[in-house]
Amino acid sequence: MSQWRRVIRNYELYLFLLPAIIYFIVFQYAPMYGVQIAFREFIASKGIWDSPWVGFTHFERFFNSYQFWPVIKNTIGISLYELAVKFPIPIITALLLNQLVFTRYKRFIQTITYAPHFISAVVIAGMIYLFLSPRNGLVNQLLAAFGLEKIFFLAEASWFKSIFIFSGVWQETGWSMIIYLAALTAVNPELHEAAVMDGASKIKRIFHVDIPSIMPTIMILLILNIGSFMTVGFEKVYLLQNSLNQPASEIIQTYVYKTGLLGAQFSYSAAIGLFNSVVNCMLLLLFNYVAKRIGQTSLW
Protein backbone atom coordinates (compact mmCIF):
# COMPACT_ATOMS: atom_id res chain seq x y z
CA MET A 1 0.00 0.00 0.00
CA SER A 2 1.40 3.38 -0.97
CA GLN A 3 2.02 6.06 1.64
CA TRP A 4 -0.75 8.32 0.30
CA ARG A 5 -3.28 5.48 0.52
CA ARG A 6 -2.26 4.92 4.14
CA VAL A 7 -2.72 8.62 4.83
CA ILE A 8 -6.18 8.64 3.22
CA ARG A 9 -7.16 5.47 5.03
CA ASN A 10 -6.12 6.90 8.41
CA TYR A 11 -7.07 10.52 7.73
CA GLU A 12 -8.81 10.86 11.13
CA LEU A 13 -5.48 10.44 12.91
CA TYR A 14 -3.83 13.08 10.71
CA LEU A 15 -6.71 15.47 11.39
CA PHE A 16 -5.86 15.24 15.10
CA LEU A 17 -2.35 16.42 14.26
CA LEU A 18 -3.55 19.32 12.13
CA PRO A 19 -4.14 21.88 14.98
CA ALA A 20 -0.67 21.24 16.39
CA ILE A 21 0.92 21.61 12.93
CA ILE A 22 -0.96 24.87 12.30
CA TYR A 23 0.09 26.17 15.72
CA PHE A 24 3.78 25.50 15.04
CA ILE A 25 3.62 27.02 11.55
CA VAL A 26 1.82 30.18 12.68
CA PHE A 27 3.43 30.84 16.06
CA GLN A 28 6.83 29.09 15.88
CA TYR A 29 8.06 29.04 12.26
CA ALA A 30 6.40 32.05 10.61
CA PRO A 31 7.90 34.55 13.12
CA MET A 32 11.37 33.27 12.16
CA TYR A 33 11.32 35.61 9.17
CA GLY A 34 12.18 38.29 11.73
CA VAL A 35 15.56 36.63 12.36
CA GLN A 36 16.90 38.48 9.32
CA ILE A 37 16.82 41.69 11.37
CA ALA A 38 20.07 40.46 12.96
CA PHE A 39 21.76 40.80 9.55
CA ARG A 40 20.24 44.21 8.70
CA GLU A 41 20.54 47.74 10.05
CA PHE A 42 16.93 48.04 11.12
CA ILE A 43 15.26 51.37 10.32
CA ALA A 44 11.74 51.59 11.71
CA SER A 45 10.44 53.84 8.91
CA LYS A 46 11.59 51.32 6.25
CA GLY A 47 10.58 48.14 8.04
CA ILE A 48 12.44 44.83 8.11
CA TRP A 49 12.33 44.07 4.37
CA ASP A 50 13.65 47.45 3.20
CA SER A 51 16.31 47.95 5.88
CA PRO A 52 19.86 47.61 4.46
CA TRP A 53 21.88 44.39 4.81
CA VAL A 54 24.97 44.66 7.02
CA GLY A 55 26.00 40.99 7.18
CA PHE A 56 27.70 39.94 10.41
CA THR A 57 28.41 43.49 11.60
CA HIS A 58 26.26 43.22 14.72
CA PHE A 59 27.77 39.85 15.64
CA GLU A 60 31.31 41.27 15.28
CA ARG A 61 30.31 44.28 17.39
CA PHE A 62 29.09 41.97 20.17
CA PHE A 63 32.20 39.74 20.02
CA ASN A 64 34.46 42.83 20.22
CA SER A 65 32.40 44.52 22.93
CA TYR A 66 34.02 44.95 26.35
CA GLN A 67 30.84 43.43 27.82
CA PHE A 68 31.10 40.22 25.79
CA TRP A 69 33.29 38.20 28.17
CA PRO A 70 31.61 39.33 31.43
CA VAL A 71 28.17 38.52 30.01
CA ILE A 72 29.27 35.13 28.64
CA LYS A 73 31.16 34.32 31.84
CA ASN A 74 28.13 35.11 34.03
CA THR A 75 25.73 33.18 31.78
CA ILE A 76 27.94 30.07 31.65
CA GLY A 77 28.74 30.33 35.37
CA ILE A 78 25.08 30.43 36.41
CA SER A 79 24.17 27.66 33.92
CA LEU A 80 26.93 25.33 35.17
CA TYR A 81 26.04 26.06 38.79
CA GLU A 82 22.40 25.37 37.99
CA LEU A 83 23.21 22.13 36.18
CA ALA A 84 25.43 20.90 39.03
CA VAL A 85 22.98 21.75 41.84
CA LYS A 86 19.48 22.21 40.51
CA PHE A 87 19.39 19.20 38.17
CA PRO A 88 20.37 16.35 40.57
CA ILE A 89 18.38 17.52 43.62
CA PRO A 90 14.92 16.55 42.17
CA ILE A 91 16.34 13.11 41.28
CA ILE A 92 17.69 12.58 44.81
CA THR A 93 14.45 13.86 46.36
CA ALA A 94 12.33 11.57 44.17
CA LEU A 95 14.49 8.53 45.02
CA LEU A 96 14.24 9.22 48.76
CA LEU A 97 10.53 10.03 48.61
CA ASN A 98 9.90 6.81 46.74
CA GLN A 99 11.25 4.87 49.71
CA LEU A 100 8.78 6.39 52.16
CA VAL A 101 6.26 3.87 53.44
CA PHE A 102 3.72 6.24 55.02
CA THR A 103 1.51 7.45 52.16
CA ARG A 104 0.08 10.47 53.99
CA TYR A 105 3.53 11.73 54.94
CA LYS A 106 4.67 11.19 51.35
CA ARG A 107 1.74 13.21 49.98
CA PHE A 108 2.39 15.96 52.54
CA ILE A 109 6.03 16.24 51.40
CA GLN A 110 4.94 16.29 47.74
CA THR A 111 2.38 19.04 48.38
CA ILE A 112 4.73 21.39 50.23
CA THR A 113 7.44 20.91 47.61
CA TYR A 114 5.06 21.44 44.64
CA ALA A 115 3.45 24.60 46.03
CA PRO A 116 6.36 27.06 45.48
CA HIS A 117 6.28 26.33 41.73
CA PHE A 118 3.03 28.29 41.43
CA ILE A 119 4.43 31.45 42.99
CA SER A 120 5.29 34.11 40.42
CA ALA A 121 8.85 35.34 39.91
CA VAL A 122 7.84 38.79 41.17
CA VAL A 123 6.59 37.39 44.48
CA ILE A 124 9.66 35.15 44.80
CA ALA A 125 11.94 38.16 44.28
CA GLY A 126 9.98 40.10 46.91
CA MET A 127 10.31 37.23 49.38
CA ILE A 128 14.06 37.03 48.75
CA TYR A 129 14.41 40.76 49.41
CA LEU A 130 12.46 40.40 52.68
CA PHE A 131 14.32 37.31 53.92
CA LEU A 132 17.75 38.72 53.06
CA SER A 133 17.17 42.29 54.20
CA PRO A 134 20.21 43.50 56.19
CA ARG A 135 17.96 45.26 58.67
CA ASN A 136 14.98 43.00 59.42
CA GLY A 137 15.56 39.94 57.23
CA LEU A 138 15.09 36.50 58.79
CA VAL A 139 18.51 35.27 57.65
CA ASN A 140 20.36 38.25 59.09
CA GLN A 141 18.36 38.00 62.32
CA LEU A 142 19.60 34.41 62.67
CA LEU A 143 23.18 35.47 61.92
CA ALA A 144 22.94 38.18 64.58
CA ALA A 145 21.49 35.68 67.08
CA PHE A 146 24.63 33.54 66.65
CA GLY A 147 26.89 36.57 67.08
CA LEU A 148 27.77 36.85 63.38
CA GLU A 149 27.87 40.02 61.31
CA LYS A 150 24.89 40.86 59.15
CA ILE A 151 25.40 40.54 55.39
CA PHE A 152 23.82 42.66 52.68
CA PHE A 153 23.47 39.63 50.40
CA LEU A 154 21.96 41.33 47.35
CA ALA A 155 24.57 44.09 47.41
CA GLU A 156 27.50 41.64 47.13
CA ALA A 157 28.15 40.16 43.70
CA SER A 158 29.74 37.02 45.19
CA TRP A 159 26.39 35.98 46.73
CA PHE A 160 24.21 36.51 43.65
CA LYS A 161 24.68 33.12 41.93
CA SER A 162 24.01 31.14 45.12
CA ILE A 163 20.90 33.18 45.93
CA PHE A 164 19.57 32.69 42.40
CA ILE A 165 20.29 28.95 42.25
CA PHE A 166 19.08 27.92 45.71
CA SER A 167 15.91 30.00 45.50
CA GLY A 168 15.29 28.14 42.22
CA VAL A 169 15.93 24.81 43.95
CA TRP A 170 13.34 25.69 46.61
CA GLN A 171 10.83 26.77 43.98
CA GLU A 172 11.24 24.04 41.35
CA THR A 173 12.38 20.84 43.08
CA GLY A 174 8.87 19.56 43.77
CA TRP A 175 7.69 20.26 40.25
CA SER A 176 10.77 18.77 38.57
CA MET A 177 10.64 15.52 40.53
CA ILE A 178 7.12 14.66 39.24
CA ILE A 179 8.59 13.03 36.14
CA TYR A 180 11.12 11.02 38.17
CA LEU A 181 8.41 9.81 40.55
CA ALA A 182 6.33 8.76 37.55
CA ALA A 183 9.34 6.88 36.13
CA LEU A 184 9.92 5.17 39.49
CA THR A 185 6.35 3.84 39.54
CA ALA A 186 7.19 1.93 36.35
CA VAL A 187 10.08 0.04 37.99
CA ASN A 188 9.32 -3.68 38.06
CA PRO A 189 8.51 -4.66 41.70
CA GLU A 190 10.02 -8.10 41.07
CA LEU A 191 13.44 -6.47 40.80
CA HIS A 192 13.06 -5.03 44.31
CA GLU A 193 11.72 -8.33 45.63
CA ALA A 194 14.72 -10.18 44.19
CA ALA A 195 17.08 -7.57 45.67
CA VAL A 196 15.43 -7.94 49.10
CA MET A 197 15.80 -11.72 48.88
CA ASP A 198 19.51 -11.18 48.21
CA GLY A 199 19.76 -9.05 51.35
CA ALA A 200 20.13 -5.66 49.59
CA SER A 201 19.54 -2.62 51.77
CA LYS A 202 17.39 0.33 50.65
CA ILE A 203 20.48 2.29 49.62
CA LYS A 204 21.74 -0.61 47.48
CA ARG A 205 18.31 -0.99 45.88
CA ILE A 206 18.34 2.71 45.00
CA PHE A 207 21.75 2.41 43.35
CA HIS A 208 21.29 -0.97 41.66
CA VAL A 209 17.55 -1.01 40.83
CA ASP A 210 15.98 2.46 40.88
CA ILE A 211 18.73 4.56 39.28
CA PRO A 212 19.43 2.16 36.35
CA SER A 213 15.67 1.89 35.73
CA ILE A 214 15.12 5.66 35.48
CA MET A 215 18.42 6.39 33.70
CA PRO A 216 16.72 6.85 30.27
CA THR A 217 14.44 9.49 31.81
CA ILE A 218 17.41 11.21 33.46
CA MET A 219 19.32 11.27 30.17
CA ILE A 220 16.39 12.73 28.20
CA LEU A 221 15.87 15.51 30.74
CA LEU A 222 19.60 16.16 30.91
CA ILE A 223 19.76 16.55 27.12
CA LEU A 224 16.78 18.94 27.24
CA ASN A 225 18.50 20.94 30.00
CA ILE A 226 21.68 21.11 27.93
CA GLY A 227 19.56 22.39 25.04
CA SER A 228 18.67 25.46 27.09
CA PHE A 229 22.07 25.74 28.75
CA MET A 230 22.66 29.38 27.72
CA THR A 231 19.12 30.45 28.57
CA VAL A 232 19.04 31.55 32.18
CA GLY A 233 15.70 32.70 33.58
CA PHE A 234 15.37 36.38 32.71
CA GLU A 235 12.61 37.49 35.08
CA LYS A 236 14.17 36.58 38.41
CA VAL A 237 17.67 37.70 37.40
CA TYR A 238 16.34 41.08 36.30
CA LEU A 239 14.22 41.50 39.43
CA LEU A 240 17.13 40.67 41.74
CA GLN A 241 19.65 42.71 39.79
CA ASN A 242 21.01 46.04 41.02
CA SER A 243 24.05 48.14 40.27
CA LEU A 244 26.05 46.52 43.11
CA ASN A 245 25.57 42.88 42.05
CA GLN A 246 25.53 43.62 38.31
CA PRO A 247 29.12 42.34 37.78
CA ALA A 248 27.77 38.84 38.60
CA SER A 249 24.17 39.17 37.43
CA GLU A 250 24.50 40.61 33.93
CA ILE A 251 23.61 37.70 31.63
CA ILE A 252 22.79 37.46 27.93
CA GLN A 253 19.04 37.77 28.49
CA THR A 254 19.25 40.94 30.61
CA TYR A 255 21.83 42.41 28.23
CA VAL A 256 19.55 41.74 25.23
CA TYR A 257 16.62 43.37 27.05
CA LYS A 258 18.63 46.49 27.90
CA THR A 259 20.18 46.93 24.46
CA GLY A 260 17.10 45.91 22.49
CA LEU A 261 14.08 47.31 24.28
CA LEU A 262 15.59 49.98 26.51
CA GLY A 263 18.33 51.04 24.07
CA ALA A 264 16.26 50.56 20.89
CA GLN A 265 19.16 48.68 19.22
CA PHE A 266 16.89 46.05 17.72
CA SER A 267 19.30 44.57 15.19
CA TYR A 268 22.16 44.35 17.69
CA SER A 269 20.01 42.64 20.35
CA ALA A 270 18.55 40.28 17.72
CA ALA A 271 22.09 39.26 16.73
CA ILE A 272 22.94 38.50 20.37
CA GLY A 273 19.75 36.52 20.82
CA LEU A 274 20.41 34.56 17.62
CA PHE A 275 23.97 33.81 18.75
CA ASN A 276 22.54 32.49 22.05
CA SER A 277 20.03 30.26 20.23
CA VAL A 278 22.67 28.86 17.87
CA VAL A 279 24.94 27.95 20.80
CA ASN A 280 22.03 26.21 22.55
CA CYS A 281 21.18 24.28 19.38
CA MET A 282 24.81 23.20 18.88
CA LEU A 283 25.07 22.02 22.49
CA LEU A 284 21.84 20.05 22.12
CA LEU A 285 23.06 18.34 18.93
CA LEU A 286 26.50 17.62 20.41
CA PHE A 287 25.23 16.18 23.68
CA ASN A 288 22.55 14.14 21.94
CA TYR A 289 25.25 12.70 19.64
CA VAL A 290 27.53 11.90 22.61
CA ALA A 291 24.66 10.23 24.50
CA LYS A 292 23.86 8.14 21.45
CA ARG A 293 27.51 7.14 20.94
CA ILE A 294 27.95 5.96 24.53
CA GLY A 295 24.82 3.83 24.25
CA GLN A 296 22.50 5.95 26.38
CA THR A 297 19.02 7.15 25.47
CA SER A 298 18.92 10.05 23.01
CA LEU A 299 16.25 12.33 21.60
CA TRP A 300 16.59 10.92 18.09
Side-chain angles (χ1 to χ4, degrees):
M1 184 182 295
S2 69
Q3 288 186 348
W4 282 111
R5 285 188 177 179
R6 289 179 186 171
V7 170
I8 293 169
R9 185 174 181 181
N10 301 296
Y11 73 94
E12 297 98 336
L13 298 176
Y14 290 94
L15 284 177
F16 277 116
L17 284 174
L18 195 58
I21 293 171
I22 292 173
Y23 167 80
F24 275 97
I25 291 174
V26 173
F27 295 105
Q28 301 292 331
Y29 287 96
M32 284 187 184
Y33 87 95
V35 169
Q36 59 178 301
I37 196 176
F39 304 96
R40 294 176 182 266
E41 188 61 53
F42 178 69
I43 301 172
S45 59
K46 293 185 177 180
I48 294 176
W49 291 105
D50 294 328
S51 296
W53 287 98
V54 294
F56 291 93
T57 302
H58 298 299
F59 293 91
E60 292 173 1
R61 180 186 161 195
F62 177 55
F63 298 149
N64 295 323
S65 166
Y66 73 94
Q67 290 179 303
F68 175 75
W69 286 114
V71 167
I72 294 295
K73 183 182 171 186
N74 288 335
T75 306
I76 292 176
I78 291 176
S79 297
L80 284 174
Y81 198 167
E82 200 167 33
L83 200 62
V85 175
K86 197 175 171 183
F87 181 76
I89 285 180
I91 301 171
I92 296 168
T93 310
L95 289 168
L96 295 177
L97 203 62
N98 189 54
Q99 295 296 324
L100 289 180
V101 178
F102 300 107
T103 308
R104 288 186 178 179
Y105 184 62
K106 186 177 178 180
R107 288 177 181 172
F108 174 72
I109 297 292
Q110 284 179 284
T111 303
I112 61 172
T113 52
Y114 292 161
H117 171 76
F118 300 99
I119 303 174
S120 72
V122 177
V123 176
I124 291 289
M127 292 170 68
I128 292 171
Y129 273 107
L130 286 175
F131 287 142
L132 301 181
S133 167
R135 182 176 297 177
N136 300 316
L138 178 64
V139 177
N140 274 311
Q141 292 293 335
L142 289 173
L143 290 176
F146 285 102
L148 300 172
E149 288 187 9
K150 292 183 177 180
I151 302 171
F152 196 172
F153 290 97
L154 290 173
E156 295 186 18
S158 58
W159 282 101
F160 182 82
K161 290 185 178 67
S162 297
I163 293 168
F164 178 79
I165 298 300
F166 284 99
S167 61
V169 168
W170 169 72
Q171 188 181 9
E172 297 296 340
T173 293
W175 183 259
S176 301
M177 73 178 180
I178 292 174
I179 296 174
Y180 301 113
L181 283 173
L184 284 167
T185 59
V187 177
N188 190 346
E190 292 180 358
L191 294 174
H192 278 287
E193 291 170 6
V196 171
M197 293 291 289
D198 291 337
S201 63
K202 285 188 175 180
I203 296 295
K204 287 185 177 177
R205 282 156 51 196
I206 287 174
F207 279 99
H208 298 289
V209 177
D210 287 339
I211 292 179
S213 298
I214 65 170
M215 188 54 73
T217 305
I218 294 173
M219 286 303 298
I220 290 293
L221 293 178
L222 181 60
I223 293 170
L224 292 174
N225 272 271
I226 294 289
S228 59
F229 182 76
M230 295 288 283
T231 305
V232 181
F234 163 76
E235 289 181 342
K236 200 167 72 178
V237 172
Y238 189 69
L239 290 168
L240 295 176
Q241 191 179 71
N242 57 53
S243 57
L244 296 172
N245 64 34
Q246 193 168 347
S249 63
E250 191 72 297
I251 57 173
I252 289 179
Q253 285 72 37
T254 55
Y255 186 60
V256 166
Y257 172 73
K258 290 173 185 174
T259 56
L261 293 181
L262 300 184
Q265 302 178 64
F266 302 112
S267 295
Y268 181 55
S269 61
I272 300 169
L274 182 58
F275 163 75
N276 187 57
S277 300
V278 170
V279 172
N280 275 336
C281 185
M282 291 173 66
L283 287 173
L284 176 66
L285 294 173
L286 177 65
F287 199 80
N288 187 69
Y289 173 76
V290 171
K292 198 172 182 179
R293 291 288 294 178
I294 62 176
Q296 295 292 343
T297 305
S298 59
L299 289 177
W300 59 83

